[in-house]
Amino acid sequence: MMKMKTLYLECNMGAAGDMLMAALVELLDQPDEFVNEFNNLNIPNIKLIKEESTKCGIVGTHMRVMVNGEEEVSEDVNVQENNDLHEHEHEHEHEHTHDNEHDHDHSHGHHSHSSLSHIEEIINGLDIPAKVKKDAVNVYGLIGEAEAKAHNKSIKEIHFHEVGTMDAIVDVVGVCMLIDKINPDRIMVSPVHVGSGNVRCAHGILPVPAPATAYILREVPSYSGNIKGELCTPTGAALLKYFADDFDAMPIMKTQKIGYGMGNKDFPVANCVRAFLGEEEQKMDDVLELVCNIDDMTAEEIGFATETLMNNGALDVYTTNINMKKNRPGTMITCMCKNIDKEKFLKLIFKYTTTLGVREYICKRYGLTRNV
């Protein structure tokens, strides 16, 4: 039986870039070496700190990103019925706060801004594998596209807040490096809990999920739940969207390692992303081969028949050159299909070919999970 190395990310409390990085770090045999490797990239004014964190009695890892000795901060907002705003205490961005992309107001004064092309220059200038650079640039492209859509601007006009930008670059590059190191055959992600309520940013108070997050999570199973606060940030959403092969419940797998990536905020539920690394047994399907021999159709007619079978959902259709009775050259047509579709393809074969009989073979097939 074939084995497939599978990474499953459980996002019952959403996902932020730092939480994903922390969960993946715990899957490594020597996580401290990764932190040293990352800090040795010498990204200006950046330091990555790995620390132990406990939520609801569960011990996990929190990854703290220091930019010029400070952390990006933002706040969730409780909008009361009387429209008074009761501000929550500032929380670290690395906890489930809105990411850098909306230029959060905070107490550290004004900072310059970075364009998407400048961010790509920073990433491409790092001493990391080419694949990791490509992944990181593509993830940031998803964020930039979402921000452009939210603000009705072109992607070239979008600018990112400096401290938040460096903070998110660390998250994105760190996660891309870890995925490259773990190198799973398949990445599965649970439906994503996005939170509810409101979050404050430089543009004002936005609903949760923030517009950029909501845009990134198009076509992704997600839900709001009862917890007030922003649980899924644009950076977290973009990383999940980019790397996930599928969003679904945990597959049947033999788990070998589990990682807990903790946020800073405390909720009644443990505020963490869980990463499960293990093996799935490769699925084996029953498929049908419907086969017939032809010696009285033109090449054009055979081509039309095989194209028609494919257009109607055949798994595969192919022809084989054969010699038939009296040594006449002929063509064997093989149509592979699912058992449930047998009657449909039998009718099509009899309709579009001159055959008087079709042979049926049941085959066992191992198949990789496919995605575009």
Side-chain angles (χ1 to χ4, degrees):
M1 185 69 74
M2 292 175 64
K3 304 289 186 182
M4 182 162 54
K5 187 177 181 182
T6 298
L7 172 65
Y8 183 72
L9 299 172
E10 182 188 81
C11 302
N12 293 345
M13 289 297 287
D18 64 298
M19 295 172 69
L20 290 167
M21 181 163 46
L24 295 173
V25 156
E26 287 209 341
L27 301 179
L28 300 181
D29 292 331
Q30 295 177 308
D32 289 335
E33 282 191 8
F34 168 79
V35 177
N36 292 334
E37 178 186 344
F38 192 96
N39 285 328
N40 286 336
L41 292 175
N42 295 320
I43 303 175
N45 306 315
I46 288 292
K47 185 175 183 183
L48 183 64
I49 299 172
K50 172 181 166 290
E51 55 191 24
E52 186 179 286
S53 175
T54 303
K55 300 290 176 189
C56 299
I58 300 170
V59 178
T61 295
H62 174 63
M63 300 297 277
R64 189 181 297 280
V65 180
M66 307 303 292
V67 184
N68 291 316
E70 67 182 39
E71 283 189 286
E72 174 77 304
V73 292
S74 74
E75 59 187 311
D76 295 325
V77 178
N78 182 14
V79 181
Q80 301 293 338
E81 290 182 5
N82 61 5
N83 291 326
D84 289 338
L85 300 182
H86 297 269
E87 299 182 6
H88 291 227
E89 290 183 2
H90 277 286
E91 303 279 2
H92 292 300
E93 142 61 15
H94 272 250
E95 39 187 356
H96 274 332
T97 54
H98 196 38
D99 250 348
N100 51 83
E101 292 81 22
H102 283 289
D103 305 344
H104 287 303
D105 285 327
H106 54 68
S107 58
H108 304 300
H110 296 288
H111 296 270
S112 63
H113 293 70
S114 298
S115 66
L116 190 60
S117 60
H118 177 58
I119 290 167
E120 291 177 0
E121 285 178 21
I122 294 172
I123 293 171
N124 285 320
L126 297 176
D127 184 19
I128 52 179
K131 180 182 180 300
V132 177
K133 291 181 184 179
K134 179 184 174 185
D135 288 341
V137 166
N138 289 343
V139 169
Y140 240 107
L142 290 178
I143 299 170
E145 178 190 349
E147 291 296 338
K149 181 73 175 177
H151 300 300
N152 196 26
K153 294 182 178 181
S154 76
I155 198 164
K156 292 181 179 178
E157 294 178 283
I158 293 298
H159 286 76
F160 301 88
H161 181 265
E162 182 194 34
V163 173
T165 294
M166 296 310 299
D167 179 283
I169 286 175
V170 173
D171 290 344
V172 169
V173 172
V175 169
C176 291
M177 288 174 66
L178 288 163
I179 293 288
D180 185 60
K181 287 179 182 296
I182 295 166
N183 193 26
D185 298 315
R186 185 159 90 117
I187 298 176
M188 292 273 294
V189 179
S190 71
V192 182
H193 189 174
V194 297
S196 62
N198 298 274
V199 64
R200 180 187 298 279
C201 74
H203 303 288
I205 294 171
L206 298 178
V208 172
T213 305
Y215 183 82
I216 293 168
L217 292 179
R218 294 171 349 274
E219 305 296 324
V220 171
S222 58
Y223 59 99
S224 63
N226 297 320
I227 292 177
K228 295 291 183 184
E230 184 184 43
L231 300 187
C232 188
T233 66
T235 301
L239 287 162
L240 295 176
K241 181 77 171 278
Y242 181 74
F243 282 112
D245 294 310
D246 199 6
F247 289 85
D248 207 343
M250 186 174 180
I252 298 173
M253 58 187 281
K254 293 179 180 177
T255 301
Q256 290 149 348
K257 294 181 179 179
I258 305 173
Y260 288 81
M262 302 302 195
N264 270 351
K265 289 182 184 175
D266 290 314
F267 296 106
V269 181
N271 183 18
C272 67
V273 168
R274 285 204 295 180
F276 297 82
L277 185 63
E279 287 183 343
E280 282 184 271
E281 290 189 346
Q282 194 69 6
K283 293 179 180 177
M284 185 169 62
D285 301 324
D286 282 345
V287 295
L288 288 184
E289 285 187 355
L290 301 177
V291 183
C292 63
N293 295 352
I294 303 292
D295 67 356
D296 58 352
M297 289 175 66
T298 67
E300 291 81 3
E301 289 169 336
I302 290 173
F304 181 77
T306 57
E307 190 175 321
T308 300
L309 292 169
M310 284 300 295
N311 290 342
N312 277 274
L315 297 174
D316 199 4
V317 182
Y318 58 94
T319 60
T320 308
N321 293 329
I322 55 175
N323 281 341
M324 297 179 63
K325 55 183 178 288
K326 299 181 181 177
N327 282 324
R328 289 201 302 263
T331 302
M332 183 168 68
I333 299 176
T334 303
C335 173
M336 292 177 58
C337 66
K338 295 178 181 176
N339 205 355
I340 194 171
D341 294 328
K342 178 172 72 171
E343 294 300 324
K344 177 176 78 171
F345 285 105
L346 282 173
K347 289 178 181 177
L348 289 170
I349 291 170
F350 283 124
K351 181 175 181 179
Y352 290 102
T353 74
T354 57
T355 190
L356 299 175
V358 177
R359 303 183 298 280
E360 172 190 311
Y361 301 97
I362 298 176
C363 303
K364 299 289 186 182
R365 183 181 71 150
Y366 294 98
L368 292 175
T369 301
R370 301 166 195 193
N371 66 292
V372 178

